[in-house]
Amino acid sequence: QLETLEQEEQEYLKLRPHPTKKKTLIVSHEQEMTVTKTLQEGEAEPQSVCYSQAKLQGLLLEGAGLLLLRVLARRQTMPPSLVFPAIDSEGNLCTSSY
């Protein structure tokens, strides 16, 4: 019964003449989860998306996915059709299957 309360992810690309900074912040509240994405090439406004907790039941974020893969590799077993809700690189709700 693990639950993600908050996750932050940052990428920085140094390109001339405009460096690019990408930041994703995921915060869990009582009834919803907020995903705030910021892509900064000059002055960009952050985009925010809210999902209800019911839609995200069993959400598997990147860090949890890596941990799950390590546990499955260690056990040398793979349960049939593992499918979890996930959030893609654009901040949209999708599924992750193993």
Side-chain angles (χ1 to χ4, degrees), residues 14-68:
K14 253 186 175 176
L15 290 175
R16 292 187 182 160
H18 304 289
T20 301
K21 185 177 182 181
K22 182 178 172 183
K23 182 178 176 181
T24 305
L25 177 63
I26 300 170
V27 180
S28 178
H29 307 285
E30 276 190 39
Q31 298 299 318
E32 65 183 18
M33 186 168 280
T34 305
V35 179
T36 306
K37 295 190 69 64
T38 306
L39 177 63
Q40 193 168 5
E41 289 178 299
E43 300 298 319
E45 291 293 320
Q47 298 174 346
S48 181
V49 180
C50 293
Y51 298 105
S52 70
Q53 290 288 13
K55 278 190 171 182
L56 298 177
Q57 185 70 30
L59 176 69
L60 189 66
L61 295 173
E62 187 177 358
L66 293 173
L67 180 60
L68 177 63

Side-chain angles (χ1 to χ4, degrees), residues 8 10 13 28 35-36 48 50-51 58 68 72 81-83 85 89:
E8 185 174 349
Q10 293 187 37
L13 186 59
S28 178
V35 179
T36 306
S48 181
C50 293
Y51 298 105
L68 177 63
L72 292 173
S81 66
L82 278 177
V83 179
S89 62

